[in-house]
Amino acid sequence: MARGTLRIYLGAAPGVGKTYAMLSEAHRRVERGTDCVVAFVEHHHRPRTEVMLHGLEQLPRREIEYRGGTFTEMDVDAVLRRAPKVALVDELAHTNMPGSRNTKRWQDVEELLAAGIDVISTVNIQHLESLGDVVESITGVRQRETVPDEVVRRADQIELVDMSPQALRRRMAHGNIYKPDRVDAALSNYFRPGNLTALRELALLWVADRVDAHLTEYRSEHHVSAIWGSRERIVVGLTGGPEGRTLIRRAARLAEKGAGGEVMAVYISRSDGLTAVSPKELALQRTLVEDLGGTFHQVVGDDIPAALLDFARGVNATQIVLGVSRRRSWQYVFGPGVGATVARESGPDLDVHLITHAEVGKGRGLPVARGARLGRSRVISGWLAGVLGPLLLTWLLKSVVPDIGLANDMLLFLTLTVAAALLGGLLPALASAVVGSTLLNWFFTPPVHTLTVADPQNIVAIVVFVGVAVAVASVVDLAARRTHQAARLRAESEILSFLAGNVLRGETGLEDLLERVRETFGMESVALLERAGEKDPWTCAGSVGPRPATTPDAADVDVPVGDHMALSLCGRVLPAADQRVLAAFAAQAAVVVDRRRLKGEADRAEELAEGNRIRTALLAAVSHDLRTPLAGIKAAVTSLRSDDVEWSEEDQAELLEAIEEGADRLDHLVGNLLDMSRLQTGTVTPIIRETDLDEVVPMALGAVPEDSVDLDVPESLPMVGVDRGLLERSVANIVENAVKYSPPGERVLVSASAMADRVEIRVVDRGPGVPDEVKDRIFEPFQRYGDAPRGDGVGLGLAVARGFAEAIGGTLHAEDTPGGGLTMVLAVRTAPGRRRERPDVSPAVTS
């Protein structure tokens, strides 16, 4: 059975019309005679969307009982039995209720696709898993329901449903998305113009990347080598020289001239690794191109022009930016140079820009070759085999096994030459060839004991012996060098991979990095020194090992990092070959220090901003919310003291009641302010004791009307380990908030139940509820959701409640009430080993 196709309507933001577009497509298919059914569509009581369901076959949903409520989910088995051609499945990122067939709805969709059913679904850009952190930084809301990007990318068709922020806000204001009581809060929070613009840009970029991936796949499948200039892609060829920064900035300016321009910097390294490139300069250029919004790439190629052009055509680039050669005039006799070659072979579809810079004509210098470091003992062994070996072999051939033939003698001497090359390199092998050929001529080539050769064939044999010996020695020596270079480059790549993978992600602290330097190079101590200016003393930013250097001059190895920082190592002098990797360590150590300093400054700025916000909110609360009850009290007292009016007893009682209510409100507000102050300063010290909930929770209901709450707290619940005062205060604030937002005549339910090692207190109201994106925000200080009028409080009740709950080791979070409203869930830990059993007592108390 062929797999079904998946079509996804991707929304830039909630309310842009994904479900409406999906239903419109369904009507078009039904009119064409396609068997199309509604497997699951959520219209959220939006009239226009609900109307679109008319005329479409809707499959029954599966009902699931969970925590005393009944919920509906898509019935996968019913869809499979019906086996339609096309099934509509809304909200691809939805998390199914516990007890469902699959955990996520996209897994249900995968089953339908595997059964050969075509699926049309919807998802918003903020629900893509890879964008969770980005969306949270933009909107302040963490999306709990996500779908893996790969699931969406595998879709056969993706259609972006977009709308300008202004049009979407108008739809919201007209009540086409949310109910009227939620519109103002939504417009001032999640649906701010800046949030909508950023989400729209994320959606457009994500879809553009997918289109680009399809274009690349198509070009590869159809072997299209010509460049299609669908968007400006500029490749910058870097040599590792200082002119690279100029080229990157120029390429960035070129990219800005075209919409959607992209900059890709590429450094081409030779396969033998014998290039002299400053890792510090290359790291700076990598950082620069990434800061400018581009990407950095490194490829291997011995033919640099060909490798550069292959890379450019592989990424469908439209322009190449190169620097004018740094070679001197006389060096052009060796060839036209990379720039001229690339320009000549680029073809008509790829523009090449040659950029002048300050390094033109200053020369490039010679590459520094890394020789083979075979070790002293191995070199000595090579010389012994190359010089003493032929002498010992001559003695054996003359005294032990004489007359085996000149050809065999030459093969044995050649074997010694190869052994000398393997042990000591080229020079011992050359010495072995010279000594061996001399001994062969003197002792084994007629006439013996002379350096003359009688037979011309023997002359040719000796010459061939020397030539083969030199050739074999050269090849063996070159192989030894390449083996050593490969091992060294592998070690360097592992170190650089460590730097790129750990340090750049911020997973390694400065001390860990310095310890890695000390272990890598076998040093006694490593220190990172810095100073503010040229004449200021050096200070130690971090060090490891005994007796670290206090100044760069006191160190055995000193690697400067910029003008005011240096990496100093003590223990031994390192060879020049180690400076490359050490410079990379030094550059990354500076990055770690800068990141630590910036993080500290960011934390301090965040603390200051939070303090300013709280002080501003506190000032607003004091200037308005606290003055409101004071004004009422003063007005009532002034009226009572007035001699111009003779108040009846009923009037006096009413004024006194107003004074009492104002004083109670004022006491409540001041109490919340003091509680928040205690939480902010960390002076809340809970006294944890074993407590019965049925003794604490009823005491927390004293501030609300008696007929506004239903209490259901079984006496058989286990005892909990809490601070009674803090728990009572937390429950009181939650209940008061629930009563405040409950509709007239609707009672708030306060219930408790045991679950594993904790007890949950649930405060259930039937108010307007809270959207998922602001459920966490309502617990922040001085936050009031919706259209709560000024004077109803300073927005500290839930913040204090969560603070006290966490102080006693509990948690407080908000959930939707099935059927509408909000449920506050306060979970506290049970006292270890204590569970009461009172079978003779009524299990619930209702008031």
Coordinates of all heavy atoms in Angstrom, one line a residue, residues 227 235-239 266 268 303-313 317-323 327 335-354:
I227 N 24.0 27.8 -12.5 CA 23.6 28.5 -11.3 C 22.2 29.2 -11.6 O 22.1 29.8 -12.6 CB 24.6 29.6 -10.9 CG1 25.9 28.8 -10.4 CG2 24.1 30.5 -9.8 CD1 27.0 29.7 -10.0
V235 N 29.7 34.3 -2.1 CA 30.8 33.5 -1.5 C 32.1 34.3 -1.4 O 32.5 34.9 -2.3 CB 31.1 32.2 -2.4 CG1 32.3 31.5 -1.9 CG2 29.9 31.3 -2.3
V236 N 32.6 34.3 -0.2 CA 33.9 35.1 0.1 C 35.0 34.1 0.2 O 35.0 33.2 1.1 CB 33.7 36.0 1.4 CG1 35.0 36.8 1.6 CG2 32.5 36.8 1.3
G237 N 36.0 34.2 -0.6 CA 37.2 33.3 -0.5 C 38.2 33.9 0.4 O 38.7 35.0 0.2
L238 N 38.5 33.2 1.5 CA 39.4 33.6 2.5 C 40.7 32.8 2.4 O 40.7 31.6 2.1 CB 38.8 33.4 3.9 CG 37.5 34.1 4.2 CD1 37.1 33.8 5.6 CD2 37.7 35.6 4.0
T239 N 41.8 33.5 2.7 CA 43.1 32.9 2.7 C 43.7 32.8 4.1 O 44.8 32.2 4.3 CB 44.1 33.7 1.8 OG1 44.3 35.0 2.4 CG2 43.6 33.8 0.4
V266 N 34.3 31.1 2.9 CA 34.9 29.7 2.8 C 36.4 29.8 2.8 O 37.0 30.7 2.2 CB 34.4 29.0 1.5 CG1 34.8 29.9 0.2 CG2 35.0 27.6 1.3
I268 N 39.7 27.4 2.1 CA 40.1 26.2 1.5 C 41.5 25.8 2.0 O 42.5 26.5 1.8 CB 40.1 26.3 0.0 CG1 38.7 26.6 -0.5 CG2 40.6 25.0 -0.7 CD1 38.6 26.9 -2.0
D303 N 43.6 22.0 -5.4 CA 43.4 23.0 -6.5 C 42.4 24.0 -6.0 O 41.2 23.9 -6.0 CB 42.9 22.3 -7.7 CG 42.9 23.2 -8.9 OD1 43.0 24.5 -8.7 OD2 42.7 22.8 -10.1
I304 N 43.0 25.1 -5.5 CA 42.2 26.1 -4.8 C 41.1 26.7 -5.7 O 39.9 26.8 -5.4 CB 43.0 27.2 -4.1 CG1 43.9 26.6 -3.0 CG2 42.2 28.3 -3.6 CD1 44.8 27.5 -2.3
P305 N 41.5 27.2 -6.9 CA 40.4 27.8 -7.8 C 39.3 26.8 -8.1 O 38.1 27.1 -8.1 CB 41.2 28.2 -9.1 CG 42.6 28.4 -8.6 CD 42.8 27.3 -7.5
A306 N 39.7 25.5 -8.4 CA 38.6 24.5 -8.7 C 37.8 24.2 -7.5 O 36.5 24.1 -7.6 CB 39.3 23.2 -9.2
A307 N 38.4 24.1 -6.3 CA 37.6 23.9 -5.1 C 36.7 25.0 -4.8 O 35.5 24.8 -4.4 CB 38.5 23.6 -3.9
L308 N 37.1 26.2 -5.0 CA 36.3 27.4 -4.7 C 35.1 27.5 -5.7 O 34.0 27.7 -5.2 CB 37.2 28.7 -4.8 CG 36.4 30.0 -4.5 CD1 35.9 30.0 -3.1 CD2 37.4 31.2 -4.8
L309 N 35.3 27.2 -6.9 CA 34.3 27.2 -7.9 C 33.3 26.1 -7.7 O 32.1 26.2 -7.8 CB 34.8 27.2 -9.3 CG 35.5 28.4 -9.8 CD1 36.2 28.1 -11.1 CD2 34.5 29.6 -10.0
D310 N 33.8 24.9 -7.3 CA 32.9 23.8 -7.0 C 32.0 24.1 -5.8 O 30.8 23.8 -5.8 CB 33.7 22.5 -6.7 CG 34.4 22.0 -7.9 OD1 33.9 22.3 -9.1 OD2 35.3 21.2 -7.8
F311 N 32.6 24.7 -4.8 CA 31.8 25.1 -3.6 C 30.7 26.1 -4.0 O 29.6 26.0 -3.6 CB 32.7 25.7 -2.5 CG 32.0 26.2 -1.3 CD1 31.5 25.3 -0.3 CD2 31.7 27.6 -1.2 CE1 30.8 25.8 0.8 CE2 31.0 28.0 -0.1 CZ 30.5 27.2 0.9
A312 N 31.1 27.1 -4.8 CA 30.2 28.2 -5.2 C 29.0 27.6 -6.0 O 27.8 28.0 -5.8 CB 30.9 29.3 -6.0
R313 N 29.3 26.7 -6.9 CA 28.2 26.2 -7.7 C 27.4 25.2 -6.9 O 26.2 25.0 -7.1 CB 28.8 25.4 -8.9 CG 29.5 26.4 -9.9 CD 29.8 25.7 -11.3 NE 30.3 26.6 -12.2 CZ 31.6 26.9 -12.5 NH1 32.5 26.2 -11.9 NH2 31.9 27.8 -13.4
A317 N 25.6 29.8 -5.6 CA 26.0 31.1 -5.4 C 25.9 31.9 -6.7 O 25.9 31.4 -7.8 CB 27.4 31.2 -4.9
T318 N 25.7 33.2 -6.5 CA 25.6 34.1 -7.7 C 26.9 35.0 -7.8 O 27.1 35.6 -8.9 CB 24.4 35.0 -7.6 OG1 24.4 35.7 -6.4 CG2 23.1 34.1 -7.6
Q319 N 27.6 35.2 -6.7 CA 28.8 36.1 -6.8 C 29.9 35.5 -5.9 O 29.6 34.8 -4.9 CB 28.4 37.5 -6.3 CG 27.3 38.2 -7.0 CD 27.0 39.6 -6.4 OE1 27.9 40.4 -6.3 NE2 25.7 39.8 -6.1
I320 N 31.1 35.8 -6.3 CA 32.3 35.4 -5.6 C 33.1 36.7 -5.3 O 33.3 37.5 -6.2 CB 33.2 34.4 -6.3 CG1 32.4 33.1 -6.5 CG2 34.5 34.1 -5.6 CD1 33.2 32.0 -7.2
V321 N 33.5 36.9 -4.0 CA 34.3 38.0 -3.6 C 35.7 37.5 -3.3 O 35.8 36.7 -2.4 CB 33.7 38.8 -2.5 CG1 34.6 39.9 -2.0 CG2 32.3 39.4 -2.9
L322 N 36.7 38.0 -4.0 CA 38.1 37.6 -3.7 C 38.9 38.9 -3.5 O 38.6 40.0 -4.0 CB 38.7 36.8 -4.8 CG 38.0 35.4 -5.1 CD1 38.6 34.9 -6.4 CD2 38.2 34.5 -4.0
G323 N 40.0 38.7 -2.8 CA 40.9 39.9 -2.6 C 42.0 39.8 -3.7 O 42.4 38.7 -4.2
R327 N 50.7 38.5 -3.7 CA 52.0 38.1 -4.2 C 52.7 39.3 -4.8 O 52.1 40.3 -5.4 CB 51.8 37.1 -5.3 CG 51.2 35.8 -4.8 CD 51.3 34.7 -5.8 NE 50.6 35.0 -7.1 CZ 50.6 34.2 -8.1 NH1 51.3 33.1 -8.2 NH2 49.9 34.6 -9.2
G335 N 52.5 31.7 -12.2 CA 51.1 31.4 -12.6 C 50.3 32.7 -12.4 O 50.7 33.7 -11.8
P336 N 49.1 32.7 -13.0 CA 48.3 34.0 -12.9 C 47.7 34.3 -11.6 O 47.2 35.4 -11.3 CB 47.2 33.7 -14.0 CG 47.1 32.2 -14.0 CD 48.5 31.7 -13.8
G337 N 47.6 33.3 -10.7 CA 47.0 33.5 -9.4 C 45.6 33.0 -9.3 O 44.9 32.8 -10.3
V338 N 45.1 32.9 -8.0 CA 43.8 32.4 -7.8 C 42.7 33.3 -8.4 O 41.7 32.8 -9.0 CB 43.6 32.1 -6.3 CG1 42.1 31.7 -6.0 CG2 44.5 31.1 -5.8
G339 N 42.8 34.6 -8.1 CA 41.8 35.5 -8.6 C 41.5 35.5 -10.1 O 40.4 35.4 -10.6
A340 N 42.6 35.5 -10.8 CA 42.5 35.5 -12.3 C 42.0 34.2 -12.8 O 41.2 34.1 -13.7 CB 43.9 35.8 -12.9
T341 N 42.4 33.1 -12.2 CA 42.0 31.8 -12.6 C 40.5 31.6 -12.3 O 39.7 31.1 -13.2 CB 42.7 30.7 -11.9 OG1 44.2 30.9 -12.1 CG2 42.3 29.3 -12.4
V342 N 40.0 32.0 -11.2 CA 38.6 31.9 -10.8 C 37.8 32.8 -11.8 O 36.7 32.4 -12.3 CB 38.4 32.3 -9.4 CG1 36.9 32.4 -9.1 CG2 39.0 31.3 -8.4
A343 N 38.2 34.0 -12.1 CA 37.5 34.9 -13.0 C 37.4 34.3 -14.4 O 36.4 34.4 -15.0 CB 38.2 36.3 -13.0
R344 N 38.5 33.6 -14.8 CA 38.5 33.1 -16.2 C 37.6 31.9 -16.3 O 36.9 31.7 -17.3 CB 39.9 32.7 -16.5 CG 40.1 32.2 -18.0 CD 41.5 31.8 -18.3 NE 41.9 30.6 -17.6 CZ 42.9 30.6 -16.6 NH1 43.5 31.8 -16.3 NH2 43.2 29.5 -16.0
E345 N 37.5 31.1 -15.2 CA 36.7 29.8 -15.3 C 35.4 29.9 -14.7 O 34.7 28.9 -14.6 CB 37.6 28.7 -14.6 CG 38.9 28.4 -15.3 CD 39.7 27.4 -14.6 OE1 39.2 26.8 -13.6 OE2 40.8 27.1 -15.0
S346 N 35.0 31.1 -14.2 CA 33.7 31.2 -13.5 C 32.5 31.0 -14.4 O 31.4 30.5 -14.0 CB 33.6 32.5 -12.7 OG 33.7 33.6 -13.7
G347 N 32.6 31.4 -15.6 CA 31.5 31.3 -16.6 C 30.6 32.5 -16.5 O 30.7 33.4 -15.7
P348 N 29.6 32.6 -17.4 CA 28.7 33.7 -17.5 C 27.7 33.9 -16.3 O 27.1 34.9 -16.2 CB 28.0 33.6 -18.8 CG 28.0 32.1 -19.0 CD 29.2 31.5 -18.4
D349 N 27.5 32.8 -15.5 CA 26.4 32.8 -14.5 C 27.0 33.1 -13.1 O 26.2 33.1 -12.2 CB 25.7 31.5 -14.5 CG 26.6 30.3 -14.4 OD1 27.8 30.5 -14.4 OD2 26.1 29.2 -14.3
L350 N 28.3 33.4 -13.0 CA 28.8 33.6 -11.7 C 29.8 34.9 -11.8 O 30.8 34.8 -12.5 CB 29.7 32.4 -11.3 CG 30.2 32.3 -9.8 CD1 29.0 32.5 -8.8 CD2 30.9 31.0 -9.6
D351 N 29.4 35.9 -11.1 CA 30.2 37.2 -11.1 C 31.3 37.1 -10.1 O 31.1 36.5 -9.0 CB 29.3 38.4 -10.7 CG 28.2 38.6 -11.8 OD1 28.4 38.2 -12.9 OD2 27.1 39.1 -11.4
V352 N 32.5 37.6 -10.4 CA 33.6 37.6 -9.6 C 34.0 39.0 -9.3 O 34.2 39.8 -10.2 CB 34.8 36.8 -10.2 CG1 36.0 36.8 -9.3 CG2 34.4 35.3 -10.5
H353 N 34.2 39.4 -8.0 CA 34.6 40.7 -7.6 C 36.0 40.6 -7.0 O 36.2 39.8 -6.0 CB 33.7 41.3 -6.5 CG 32.2 41.4 -7.0 ND1 31.7 42.5 -7.5 CD2 31.2 40.5 -6.9 CE1 30.4 42.3 -7.8 NE2 30.1 41.1 -7.4
L354 N 36.9 41.3 -7.5 CA 38.3 41.4 -7.0 C 38.4 42.7 -6.2 O 38.3 43.8 -6.8 CB 39.3 41.3 -8.1 CG 39.4 40.0 -8.9 CD1 40.5 40.1 -10.0 CD2 39.8 38.9 -7.9

